[in-house]
Amino acid sequence: MNKVELVSYAKVNFTLEVSDRRPDGYHEIDSIVQTIDITDDLVMTKAEPGVITVTCDIDGVPEGPGNIIYRACEEFFNRAGLHAGVECMLRKRIPMQAGLGGGSGNAAAAVAGLNRLYDCGLSAKELADIAAAAGSDAPLFIYGGTVRMRGRGEIIDPLPDVLQMYLVVIKPDVGVSTAWAYGELDKSSSGRCESVSQRAEDAVRDSDRDSLIASMCNDFDPVVSAAFDEVRLAKSRLMEAGAQRAMLSGSGSAVFGVFGTHEMAQQATLSLMGEFAQVFLTCTVCRDKSSLIG
C-alpha cells in the first residue's frame, strides 16, 4: 500500500465544563462531544525516509512544521520507531478558529493514516496517546461518535451514539483564539455550568433527546458572546429560525443550532445563508462511520 485517503470529521461540544488552571498550565475539562458531518479529506502517500510534507488546497494553512498534521506525523514516527516518510495533501472545508476541532481531527486522521500506510498495528489507545501529543482534543476523533472527554482532553470514554440530530452550524466572520478564550474565562466572574456533563451522559445512555438538549451548556459561551457581536447575532438568528437550542461550540467562534427535523434545519439554513458567509446544514455522525480505528 503506497497511499491512503481518510475523512476527517468536525465536532461540536454538547457540554463543556472548564475547571481552574492546573500546575502544568492546562485546564481540567469535562465535555460531551459529538462528531458531525462537516469534513476534510486527507490523502497520505509514502515518501523517502525522513521526508514529511503537508500541502493544502486553501490559503492560510501552514504547510510545514507549523501544521498540526506535520507534528502528528513526526510524533507517530518517533513513537513507532519508524524511519519512514510521508507526503500529506489536505482538502480543507472545516472552518478554522471555529471550535469545531478541524485541526485536531486532521492530526488524529494523520496518526490513523500512518498506522494503516505502514501496517503498524497500533491499538486505539496507542493511536489516541500519539494524537494527544499533537493536540489536546485530538484523541476523541480516533474513537468518533459520541464521547465524554475529560482531563485536558486526552481521557476519552466512548458513549452510545445519540439518536440522529439535525444541526445548523454558523461560522461568524471572526476567529477566536483558544488561548485568548481560556485567559478571558480565567478572569471572568460569570457563573459556570454545573454537573451538566453527567446529566448529558445520562440522557445519552437513556436515548432521552429532550433531556440532552436541556443539559447543553458551555462555560465559554457567556465570555465569547460578550466579546463578539457576531456570535451573539448568530445564536439569536438560529433561535429565531426555529432552533430548540443554540450555543457556542468549543471556544468558538462557530455556533450551532439543534432542530427537530431535517426539513426544519434545511429551511433555516436557506434563510440564514444570505446573512452569514458560512452556514452548514449538518447532522450527528455515528461511531461506525466516523471512527478512525481499523
Side-chain angles (χ1 to χ4, degrees), residues 222-288:
V223 173
V224 175
S225 295
F228 298 98
D229 292 342
E230 297 90 338
V231 172
R232 288 200 305 277
L233 177 63
K235 289 196 302 180
S236 173
R237 295 291 294 120
L238 282 166
M239 293 302 293
E240 291 168 6
Q244 295 166 291
R245 184 81 170 91
M247 60 186 289
L248 192 74
S249 181
S251 58
S253 62
V255 302
F256 67 95
V258 182
F259 289 81
T261 66
H262 177 267
E263 289 72 22
M264 293 172 69
Q266 187 174 43
Q267 187 173 0
T269 301
L270 292 173
S271 71
L272 294 168
M273 287 180 71
E275 193 170 349
F276 298 93
Q278 296 186 81
V279 182
F280 301 85
L281 170 61
T282 186
C283 63
T284 56
V285 181
C286 67
R287 177 159 301 113
D288 281 351

Side-chain angles (χ1 to χ4, degrees), residues 14-15 196-197 199-201 203 210-217 245:
F14 288 153
T15 68
V196 291
S197 296
R199 292 203 293 275
E201 177 178 340
D210 290 341
S211 294
L212 175 58
I213 292 173
S215 67
M216 290 180 177
C217 187
R245 184 81 170 91

Side-chain angles (χ1 to χ4, degrees), residues 8 25 68-69 84 97 103 123 128-129 149 154 157 168 175-176 207 233 248 260 267 270 279 284:
S8 175
I68 192 170
I69 295 174
Q97 288 199 316
S123 68
D129 288 346
M149 177 174 69
E154 82 281 17
D157 294 314
V168 176
V176 175
S207 299
L233 177 63
L248 192 74
Q267 187 173 0
L270 292 173
V279 182
T284 56

